């Protein structure tokens, strides 16, 4: 799945907000793997912008895409979680249609 670096940071932020939620079954492992993959991608971005002072270059890096190996989430899996509309908007890029 391809996501822009901006999307990667945003989705990771929402998943970070859910860290303390009690999850059951295989879904918690799916979220754990997804978060780990997002964090790996964030490390790449952080190294790419290290020492870059030009705002335009930073914006370009933020809009670049990365190919991630994450499973899409389903509406059924997300139903028990207390998600706001704002969080759902961010997560839509990794929700199965």
């Amino acid at each position: 799945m391809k996501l822009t670096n901006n999307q990667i940071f945003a989705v990771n932020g929402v998943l970070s907000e859910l860290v303390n939620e009690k999850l059951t079954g295989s879904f918690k492992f799916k979220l754990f793997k997804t978060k780990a993959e997002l964090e790996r991608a964030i490390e790449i971005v952080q190294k790419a912008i290290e020492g870059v002072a030009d705002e335009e270059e930073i914006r370009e890096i933020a809009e670049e895409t990365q190919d991630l190996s994450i499973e899409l989430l389903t509406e059924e899996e997300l139903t028990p979680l207390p998600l706001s509309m704002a969080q759902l908007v961010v997560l839509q890029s990794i929700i199965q249609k």
Side-chain angles (χ1 to χ4, degrees), residues 36-54:
E37 180 72 4
L38 293 168
E39 288 175 358
R40 182 199 60 76
I42 287 171
E43 283 181 30
I44 293 169
V45 175
Q46 288 173 333
K47 287 179 184 173
I49 62 174
E50 199 171 284
V52 176
D54 182 43

Side-chain angles (χ1 to χ4, degrees), residues 35-75:
K35 183 138 176 50
E37 180 72 4
L38 293 168
E39 288 175 358
R40 182 199 60 76
I42 287 171
E43 283 181 30
I44 293 169
V45 175
Q46 288 173 333
K47 287 179 184 173
I49 62 174
E50 199 171 284
V52 176
D54 182 43
E55 290 293 320
E56 183 60 31
E57 191 174 344
I58 291 173
R59 260 187 242 110
E60 288 174 13
I61 292 170
E63 289 304 317
E64 289 179 4
T65 60
Q66 291 191 54
D67 196 11
L68 304 176
S69 128
I70 59 175
E71 289 182 56
L72 293 176
L73 306 177
T74 66
E75 288 181 17

Side-chain angles (χ1 to χ4, degrees), residues 1 7 12 20 41 43 45 47-48 55 57-58 69 78 81 87 89 97:
M1 143 171 296
Q7 288 175 309
N12 188 60
N20 292 322
E43 283 181 30
V45 175
K47 287 179 184 173
E55 290 293 320
E57 191 174 344
I58 291 173
S69 128
L78 294 172
L81 298 178
Q87 289 171 316
V89 168
K97 309 245 181 305

